[in-house]
Amino acid sequence: MPRIAIENNNRMSLRISPQAKSRIARAAALCHADMTCFVTQAALREAEAVIAEAERIELSERDYQKILDLIDNPPAPNAKLRAALAAMPVLK
């Protein structure tokens, strides 16, 4: 049965095979680190890579130029935009 997460707990439980644990312990020892530090650093590197990939937007040169052109030369407001602006509350 899953355990309920405790908010103020800095622990993280993992279930791994003895072979995996042994391999991680060996790698940690080779890096002169304890297993907690080794696993945390490896997980953080992977987390940063996943987040960076998810947040990156790649554009073709054509699309990049189109965005720059739209920034320099925005289209005139259409009826929907004018209506949305008119519906906004006035800031004092």
Side-chain angles (χ1 to χ4, degrees):
M1 173 178 268
R3 295 183 187 174
I4 297 172
I6 300 171
E7 283 187 38
N8 292 328
N9 187 346
N10 292 333
R11 292 183 163 272
M12 188 172 166
S13 297
L14 302 172
R15 290 195 175 131
I16 60 174
S17 70
Q19 296 85 2
K21 184 175 180 181
S22 176
R23 196 102 171 123
I24 292 168
R26 181 176 178 207
L30 290 168
C31 291
H32 305 290
D34 61 35
M35 283 182 53
T36 298
C37 181
F38 182 82
V39 170
T40 300
Q41 292 304 313
L44 285 171
R45 276 193 306 274
E46 184 64 17
E48 291 301 324
V50 168
I51 291 167
E53 180 67 27
E55 292 179 346
R56 181 175 43 245
I57 298 173
E58 293 186 24
L59 299 173
S60 68
E61 183 63 28
R62 179 186 59 99
D63 291 340
Y64 178 72
Q65 291 303 323
K66 177 69 174 172
I67 289 172
L68 291 179
D69 182 53
L70 287 169
I71 291 170
D72 290 340
N73 307 299
N78 60 22
K80 283 187 177 182
L81 179 58
R82 285 192 297 277
L85 286 171
M88 289 183 66
V90 177
L91 299 175
K92 293 182 182 182

